[in-house]
């Protein structure tokens, strides 16, 4: 696929003498954030790597929020408000919010069930059957989380598969460059969200996400990065609980092992929640800004 028009100065020829012929500094910043996220985007993930990527997304969307407030962005949106690409940008902003919400909900549900299990462990210390029953209950709740995650990913795949090549209808090169940037942002963000959802589900060997493959197609240069293989705190706790249930045991060493996994997962969830909450607020601000421009 050809390189993004944002990388070509000629695509930013002004509509009038009052507009700059070079990319705006904020546009350059957005591209830099995108390049950093792409260079670290691999199919294998660890909680630390995903937290790092969420931090990168925060920087990217903070930059995008500034981008949508620029006069050149407002002019592009108001120039062709009825075009299909405008609707697609709005739909894309909604997709990002939906997937972010799905990730937040899955973390919240897991955290609530985990804290209930920790409370039961403290109250029924030494009672093997009681804790085994609660472990089964927690594992059942994890199945509910996984089901919700797979449904969210399925809905995402269904909505994105219906999209057409809306950018082919854009004649103005400056508008095309702007829209291409915003779509690249959506692709990279969805790719990381999909990796995060798979991680939360406890997938130990996830397949390359569809958004990962798309982001590699639109990013032509080689990254030269080595995949990072890390531990998955969600799958580790699931395995520890399954082992506990299978052996029907709650001896001191097993209890300490479970507690260790619970503490690691609690820290992991807290990091993810903080990153997602920041992103969620930023995504809402960006969508509201787009709607305000169109309704002006």
């Amino acid at each position: 696929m050809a390189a993004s028009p944002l990388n070509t100065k000629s695509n930013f020829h002004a509509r009038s003498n009052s507009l700059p012929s070079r990319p705006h500094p904020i546009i350059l910043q957005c591209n830099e954030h995108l390049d950093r996220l792409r260079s670290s985007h691999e199919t294998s993930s660890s909680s630390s790597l995903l937290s790092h990527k969420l931090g990168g997304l925060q920087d990217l969307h903070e930059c995008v929020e500034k981008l949508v407030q620029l006069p050149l962005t407002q002019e592009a949106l108001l120039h062709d408000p009825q075009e299909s690409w405008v609707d697609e940008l709005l739909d894309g902003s909604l997709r990002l919010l939906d997937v972010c919400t799905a990730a937040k909900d899955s973390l919240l549900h897991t955290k609530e069930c985990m804290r209930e299990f920790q409370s039961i462990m403290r109250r029924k210390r030494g009672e093997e059957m009681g804790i085994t029953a609660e472990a089964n209950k927690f594992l059942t709740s994890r199945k509910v989380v996984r089901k919700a995650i797979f449904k969210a990913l399925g809905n995402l795949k269904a909505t994105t598969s219906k999209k057409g090549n809306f950018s082919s209808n854009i004649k103005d090169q400056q508008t095309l460059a702007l829209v291409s940037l915003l779509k690249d942002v959506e692709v990279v963000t969805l790719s990381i969200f999909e990796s995060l959802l798979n991680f939360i589900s406890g997938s130990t060997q996830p397949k390359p996400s569809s958004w990962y493959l798309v982001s590699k197609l639109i990013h032509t240069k080689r990254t030269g990065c080595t995949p990072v293989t890390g531990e998955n705190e969600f799958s580790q706790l699931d395995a520890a609980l399954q082992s506990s249930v299978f052996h029907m045991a709650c001896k001191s060493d097993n209890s300490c092992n479970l507690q260790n996994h619970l503490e690691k997962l609690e820290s992991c969830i807290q990091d993810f929640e903080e990153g997602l909450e920041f992103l969620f607020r930023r995504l809402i601000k960006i969508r509201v800004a787009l709607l305000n421009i169109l309704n002006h």
Side-chain angles (χ1 to χ4, degrees), residues 122-162:
R122 286 190 293 268
R123 294 203 311 268
K124 296 186 177 183
R125 186 170 300 173
E127 299 180 26
E128 296 181 12
M129 295 301 297
I131 294 181
T132 299
E134 290 302 319
N136 268 319
K137 184 178 178 181
F138 182 87
L139 289 171
T140 299
S141 74
R142 288 285 294 146
K143 291 180 181 179
V144 173
V145 169
R146 280 192 286 271
K147 184 177 180 179
I149 286 175
F150 297 148
K151 181 179 179 180
L153 292 175
N155 290 339
L156 176 63
K157 183 177 180 180
T159 56
T160 54
S161 65
K162 298 177 182 178

Side-chain angles (χ1 to χ4, degrees), residues 5-16:
L6 289 167
N7 297 325
T8 308
K9 295 179 181 179
S10 61
N11 286 315
F12 282 88
H13 286 167
R15 290 195 184 98
S16 68

Side-chain angles (χ1 to χ4, degrees), residues 81-101:
Q82 304 303 321
E83 293 293 335
S84 60
W85 63 264
V86 176
D87 292 334
E88 176 54 30
L89 286 181
L90 291 175
D91 290 344
S93 70
L94 194 56
R95 276 191 292 271
L96 292 177
L97 282 169
D98 287 344
V99 181
C100 187
T101 298

Side-chain angles (χ1 to χ4, degrees), residues 45-53 199 228 231 233 268 272:
S45 296
S46 65
S47 57
S48 59
L49 179 58
L50 283 169
S51 293
H52 178 73
K53 290 177 181 178
F199 190 87
V228 179
E231 298 179 340
E233 289 83 353
C268 173
F272 287 165

Side-chain angles (χ1 to χ4, degrees), residues 11 21 79 125-126 139 149 155 167 177 181 188 209 213 219-220 241 243-244 251 260 273 279-280 285 287 293-294:
N11 286 315
S21 59
H79 186 262
R125 186 170 300 173
L139 289 171
I149 286 175
N155 290 339
S167 61
L181 170 59
V188 170
S209 73
L213 297 176
H219 185 51
T220 55
L241 287 171
S243 176
S244 175
K251 298 179 181 179
N260 180 51
E273 282 188 321
L279 275 170
F280 186 75
K285 289 181 178 180
R287 179 169 173 80
I293 293 172
L294 294 171

